[in-house]
Amino acid sequence: MIGGPSPTYDAVVVGSGPNGLVAANKLADAGWSVLVLEAQPELGGAVRSDHGVDPAFVHDTFSAFYPLALASPVIRSLELERHGLEWSHAPAPLGHPLPGGAWAVIHPDRHDTASGLDALHPGDGEAWLKLCADWDRVGDPIVEALMATWPPVRGGVRALASMRHVGGLAFVKELLTPAVGLGRARFGGEAPRLLLAGNGGHSDIPLESPGSGIFGMILTMLAQTVGFPVPRGGAGELTQAMARRLTSLGGEIRLDSAVARIEVDRGRVSAVRTVGGERFAVRRAVVADVSAPVLYERLVAPEDLPASVARGMTRFELDPGTVKVDWALDGPVPWTSPPPVAPGCLHVADSVSAMQESLSQVVAGVVPREPFLLAGQMTTADASRSPQGTESMWAYTHVPHETSYDAGSGGGPAVRGTWDRDDCERFADRMQAQLEKHAPDLASRIRARRVLGPHELEQRNGSLIGGAVNGGTSQLHQQLVFRPVPGTGRPTTGIKGLYLGSSSAHPGGGVHGACGANAARAAVVGARVPRLRG
């Protein structure tokens, strides 16, 4: 191609994460020629799986459970089951072991969940069914509104209209209540409060801050209504189904094709150039499925960046870093007190206050003494993940980008916050100790362990800067019209034809595809061609 004309596409999508592949599919549906460029040797961004822990085991490298994907109108519209995707479910979506041996469990049937909660604290079963009934009325409109391009006019009107059936403004106030307060207001016992707070802890919003309550309610109710599904065969199968759909429409994908520069000519995107020197001309649009710092501080030349975006990015805030531990177990987790039904997803913290302490320490730059864990029993959720009688398991937790001190050194070697191999292994031992409170013989079942710290996660996906997995903090000061910088809230960038389609854009993190779909829709409208269906 040297010396000849550059290949030209209607659109180039930078990054093959779920948002990038959704955008590419939507643009291909509109009849556009589409090229996806992926820096890594594998597709998927943070939706991948591998055999790196043990050749006989499948481990999801990053994300694992996909309630938002199953609930997302965007993902559903792709009909990925026609392209080989199969969903699998654990016997129970979610469990939280309690001190003393009991479990808080969300069962597939809400009445079973209610019975279990009522046995732990009379009255909580009825309160659970009331919460579910409220969600039946407002859940779909809320999810639709949150995933729409800002402002969500149609979805917002529908969501507000639905709330008159569940208390009107009182329910709106409840949605704005922090997760800790929401749990106390709805329930008398600790178990359902832990379920709400634990789901709120999937984001980086402090549990005592507004935003954590609605986030916790959404994930909790999705666990009850659609479950916490996993792709059969590994997270990468979700990616492969999207890729197969795209290529069936004529879309192209190139791996090992890191982008060096998005070229701009007189205020309009004109081409994409790779690190390897290839140049791809663009007729209509570039959709960037990369984090906002990668796009605005690396891929776009400073002289091409609008001044308002450059100013806003000086105050852009990442979400915390992450440490993830994968285990290949030669048997099921040896729980001292097994759950009544085996859950796929697990939350591990002694209490809501312990969860608050762990998350608050991270925000304050402190390495947690007893980290709050999100964990998964993946063979329990999908028997194809490992040999019969074994378990493919993982846990992750958040850590600060800049560390002031380690709250858990206890006079021994401290985690310094450099997140080198020593730091990661030492902290992984601390994470494993959290599980061993409920399964003291866990170490006897481990045949292999892998620890991925902030640096390893970023090496595998350049948008996970310092192990930040959500494309920027989910706190209210960087959501809606403030995401990724004040005054936006839309996928437009101030450069004609360039759209931000990653989780750094509204509505943010989670595998729902809305960021990519919103970018594709904006690109189509911007190019003055018919709107996308779906």
Side-chain angles (χ1 to χ4, degrees):
M1 283 183 269
I2 296 176
S6 299
T8 302
Y9 295 84
D10 290 324
V12 172
V13 176
V14 181
S16 70
N19 283 305
L21 290 177
V22 164
N25 271 280
K26 290 293 186 180
L27 293 172
D29 284 344
W32 289 25
S33 59
V34 181
L35 171 66
V36 177
L37 297 175
E38 169 56 51
Q40 297 290 328
E42 297 176 65
L43 283 172
V47 182
R48 305 203 317 250
S49 44
D50 64 71
H51 295 272
V53 182
D54 184 298
F57 286 63
V58 175
H59 280 85
D60 296 330
T61 317
F62 308 97
S63 59
F65 293 99
Y66 300 104
L68 287 169
L70 208 57
S72 167
V74 171
I75 300 293
R76 290 201 308 268
S77 74
L78 298 180
E79 298 181 324
L80 296 175
E81 291 80 4
R82 297 176 58 183
H83 298 273
L85 176 65
E86 296 181 54
W87 292 111
S88 183
H89 292 261
L94 177 63
H96 193 130
L98 309 176
W103 283 74
V105 176
I106 297 180
H107 298 255
D109 188 303
R110 66 183 62 182
H111 295 92
D112 292 336
T113 305
S115 294
L117 296 177
D118 208 66
L120 294 170
H121 190 281
D124 278 350
E126 183 178 350
W128 183 265
L129 293 176
K130 175 63 168 63
L131 177 60
C132 292
D134 289 347
W135 185 256
D136 288 342
R137 288 182 174 272
V138 303
D140 286 347
I142 286 175
V143 170
E144 178 187 340
L146 288 176
M147 292 190 183
T149 300
W150 188 262
V153 177
R154 183 177 65 180
V157 169
R158 185 171 169 235
L160 288 173
S162 72
M163 289 183 193
R164 71 178 186 270
H165 302 294
V166 294
L169 287 177
F171 189 80
V172 175
K173 180 177 183 290
E174 194 172 37
L175 292 177
L176 298 175
T177 301
V180 172
L182 177 61
R184 288 174 180 162
R186 284 271 182 172
F187 302 103
E190 182 80 349
R193 295 174 181 177
L194 276 167
L195 293 173
L196 279 169
N199 280 305
H202 282 244
S203 77
D204 69 311
I205 306 172
L207 297 180
E208 57 276 8
S209 297
S212 61
I214 185 172
F215 197 94
M217 182 186 288
I218 288 172
L219 280 188
T220 300
M221 287 295 95
L222 289 182
Q224 186 62 89
T225 55
V226 304
F228 271 25
V230 304
R232 190 175 302 280
E237 292 303 312
L238 173 57
T239 292
Q240 292 302 322
M242 286 193 278
R244 285 190 289 268
R245 186 185 188 279
L246 175 62
T247 55
S248 75
L249 296 169
E252 299 178 34
I253 300 169
R254 296 198 184 198
L255 304 178
D256 289 310
S257 297
V259 170
R261 181 68 73 204
I262 295 172
E263 297 183 4
V264 178
D265 181 18
R266 289 171 289 184
R268 170 172 285 279
V269 68
S270 59
V272 175
R273 190 180 297 277
T274 69
V275 171
E278 292 183 287
R279 184 179 185 275
F280 301 98
V282 176
R283 293 191 191 92
R284 292 173 165 173
V286 170
V287 174
D289 181 18
V290 297
S291 68
V294 171
L295 175 61
Y296 294 131
E297 298 171 8
R298 302 181 195 175
L299 300 187
V300 175
E303 61 269 21
D304 294 324
L305 194 63
S308 60
V309 174
R311 285 194 303 271
M313 284 305 298
T314 64
R315 297 182 294 276
F316 180 83
E317 185 178 338
L318 289 170
D319 46 302
T322 305
V323 174
K324 179 174 182 284
V325 184
D326 295 303
W327 294 274
L329 304 180
D330 62 13
V333 178
W335 304 110
T336 299
S337 179
V341 182
C345 185
L346 303 166
H347 298 158
V348 183
D350 289 348
S351 63
V352 172
S353 60
M355 201 182 300
Q356 284 180 271
E357 179 183 21
S358 172
L359 296 172
S360 297
Q361 286 175 331
V362 172
V363 172
V366 177
V367 178
R369 178 175 59 90
E370 294 187 332
F372 163 54
L373 302 186
L374 305 170
Q377 300 182 119
M378 302 314 295
T379 309
T380 296
D382 170 15
S384 73
R385 300 298 184 95
S386 67
Q388 186 174 2
T390 66
E391 185 68 75
S392 173
M393 190 177 186
W394 58 265
Y396 83 80
T397 192
H398 292 305
V399 295
H401 290 291
E402 296 181 4
T403 298
S404 56
Y405 69 94
D406 179 8
S409 60
V415 174
R416 297 160 296 164
T418 62
W419 302 113
D420 60 8
R421 187 49 28 200
D422 285 345
D423 263 7
C424 287
E425 293 292 340
R426 192 172 292 128
F427 192 67
D429 291 342
R430 193 176 301 175
M431 294 170 63
Q432 188 169 310
Q434 286 286 84
L435 287 168
E436 288 172 341
K437 291 180 181 180
H438 306 279
D441 296 328
L442 178 64
S444 68
R445 299 284 173 91
I446 298 173
R447 56 195 275 180
R449 184 176 92 167
R450 175 177 69 182
V451 184
L452 299 177
H455 304 307
E456 289 81 11
L457 292 171
E458 186 174 353
Q459 286 166 2
R460 288 163 170 78
N461 182 340
S463 282
L464 306 187
I465 300 169
V469 298
N470 277 321
T473 181
S474 298
Q475 296 187 57
L476 288 181
H477 63 267
Q478 198 167 279
Q479 286 286 61
L480 307 176
V481 296
F482 307 109
R483 192 169 190 90
V485 297
T488 54
R490 289 173 171 267
T492 51
T493 63
I495 298 171
K496 293 178 182 178
L498 176 61
Y499 302 91
L500 178 62
S502 72
S503 59
S504 288
H506 172 76
V511 180
H512 42 67
C515 310
N518 291 342
R521 188 174 294 109
V524 170
V525 171
R528 304 183 189 281
V529 298
R531 284 182 179 268
L532 296 175
R533 295 192 301 269

